[in-house]
Amino acid sequence: RPHKFLRVLAGMILMLGSVAVALAILVQYAGSWGVPYFSFTTDRGSPCKNELAGYTCSPMTLADVEYFGDVNLPDDSSVVAGRYHATHDYQMEAVVEVPSVSSDQALTELKQAFGKCIDELPAPINTDGMHHPCVMANEDALDESDEPSGRLYMIGTAVRTDGSRVIGMVIKSR
């Protein structure tokens, strides 16, 4: 009889151990599998959390701002605030600071990715006390055209008195 007790005890410990291992694997990978309310990290380093429908990443890394924004910014840029929310559509909002040494390069990259400055539009960031404001937006979003783009964007930028550039980005899918 004592041997039977040890076999039952060993069997229970083995079952509990296998359940614990399975649970540990589930908890570790649940976020990347898309299980609601579990967290994961993007390949570019932003922490995200799954929701019932979609996921939200906040704060964002510069690599994710560049990836989701489809723009190349100088490497010395820093993300002040950023949020990406994806369901069947997506929306990204970010504020990026660029040091004065890379300010002109950043504007060149923004114009290459988003087009020319449009004077009539308000900036998506506060540009009080700054100079050289520039707002870029979809031109096909302002008037009807044959093929509208798959995303709407409004990018605002201006230069502070110290020469650093602030960039505000709002990008949404249609």
Side-chain angles (χ1 to χ4, degrees), residues 88-162:
H88 63 285
D89 290 324
Y90 67 86
Q91 178 173 342
M92 181 188 79
E93 298 171 355
V95 176
V96 179
E97 288 183 347
V98 182
S100 58
V101 295
S102 303
S103 179
D104 292 336
Q105 177 191 355
L107 183 60
T108 302
E109 296 287 350
L110 288 171
K111 286 182 177 179
Q112 183 178 4
F114 300 109
K116 63 182 191 283
C117 297
I118 303 172
D119 296 329
E120 302 87 44
L121 295 175
I125 56 170
N126 184 359
T127 59
D128 293 342
M130 297 187 208
H131 55 281
H132 305 300
C134 173
V135 177
M136 295 159 260
N138 297 64
E139 290 187 35
D140 62 355
L142 302 175
D143 55 69
E144 296 298 317
S145 65
D146 292 343
E147 280 294 319
S149 68
R151 66 182 185 161
L152 294 171
Y153 59 83
M154 181 173 282
I155 312 298
T157 183
V159 178
R160 292 185 178 136
T161 54
D162 66 357

Side-chain angles (χ1 to χ4, degrees), residues 42 45-48 56-62 64-65 79-84:
T42 65
S46 295
C48 303
T56 300
C57 301
S58 180
M60 293 178 66
T61 62
L62 180 62
D64 268 331
V65 169
V79 178
V80 176
R83 181 179 179 273
Y84 179 80

Side-chain angles (χ1 to χ4, degrees), residues 15-80:
M15 284 189 280
L16 286 175
S18 60
V19 168
V21 167
L23 188 61
I25 291 171
L26 176 67
V27 169
Q28 182 176 359
Y29 294 105
S32 61
W33 293 337
V35 177
Y37 308 110
F38 280 85
S39 300
F40 67 98
T41 302
T42 65
D43 295 339
R44 294 159 299 281
S46 295
C48 303
K49 185 171 185 176
N50 292 315
E51 297 168 355
L52 220 56
Y55 63 94
T56 300
C57 301
S58 180
M60 293 178 66
T61 62
L62 180 62
D64 268 331
V65 169
E66 291 178 320
Y67 178 78
F68 293 125
D70 197 22
V71 63
N72 186 25
L73 295 171
D75 292 337
D76 56 354
S77 304
S78 60
V79 178
V80 176

